[in-house]
Amino acid sequence: MPVEMNGPQQRSCPDPRRSLFSQAESVDHEPGPLGVPAYSCLDRSARACAETVRSTLDQWFERVPEEHRADLFGAFASPKDRDHEAAVLTLVLHEALLRLGHTLTIHPALPGTRKRPDFLLDCDGRQTLLEA
């Protein structure tokens, strides 16, 4: 039976404006069982590496403009792993592109279509559309 070193960790309440994760106690010390959504496993894990991942993802999430956080949170916390993984990819790309010096527009409106790509990148006056 695993021993808790400093008791269960508490995390802030899931607020799509601030955090991707819940306030639930971190209680799971083992890898998530098959069939359990990836988000649920990460949210409940008491492993130190999971806390590091949660903290890093929340830091990146804070850099997403507030008006886009609720949609990203909905996909990220989805019980469907495909939606969760797509949201993780979007968050990783957003952070990587910011670190590379791009100015980003999320879901820009395009003339002549109702479709909106994930990002419009602007770097030194050159613009590129990116769909994750």
Side-chain angles (χ1 to χ4, degrees):
M1 173 172 242
V3 176
E4 292 182 359
M5 296 302 287
N6 292 315
Q9 295 178 339
Q10 292 284 89
R11 293 184 303 281
S12 60
C13 155
D15 179 344
R17 293 166 301 177
R18 298 180 9 169
S19 178
L20 291 166
F21 300 98
S22 72
Q23 187 177 0
E25 284 186 13
S26 300
V27 295
D28 294 334
H29 292 275
E30 300 299 322
L34 291 175
V36 174
Y39 173 77
S40 296
C41 292
L42 181 58
D43 191 44
R44 293 180 44 85
S45 179
R47 293 174 153 197
C49 60
E51 180 56 36
T52 300
V53 170
R54 286 191 297 263
S55 176
T56 299
L57 292 173
D58 269 344
Q59 288 172 14
W60 295 353
F61 186 62
E62 288 176 6
R63 291 171 48 109
V64 173
E66 191 165 339
E67 65 270 20
H68 297 287
R69 290 182 193 167
D71 287 341
L72 183 59
F73 174 81
F76 189 90
S78 175
K80 297 179 181 175
D81 282 345
R82 182 176 178 161
D83 293 343
H84 170 73
E85 291 162 1
V88 171
L89 175 61
T90 299
L91 189 57
V92 168
L93 285 173
H94 182 268
E95 182 65 19
L97 293 166
L98 287 177
R99 288 182 183 205
L100 288 170
H102 293 281
T103 301
L104 303 177
T105 303
I106 299 174
H107 300 297
L110 301 176
T113 183
R114 296 179 66 174
K115 295 182 179 182
R116 292 179 173 240
D118 289 325
F119 300 107
L120 171 64
L121 318 176
D122 189 316
C123 188
D124 299 329
R126 295 186 324 200
Q127 294 186 332
T128 304
L129 296 171
L130 176 65
E131 183 66 32

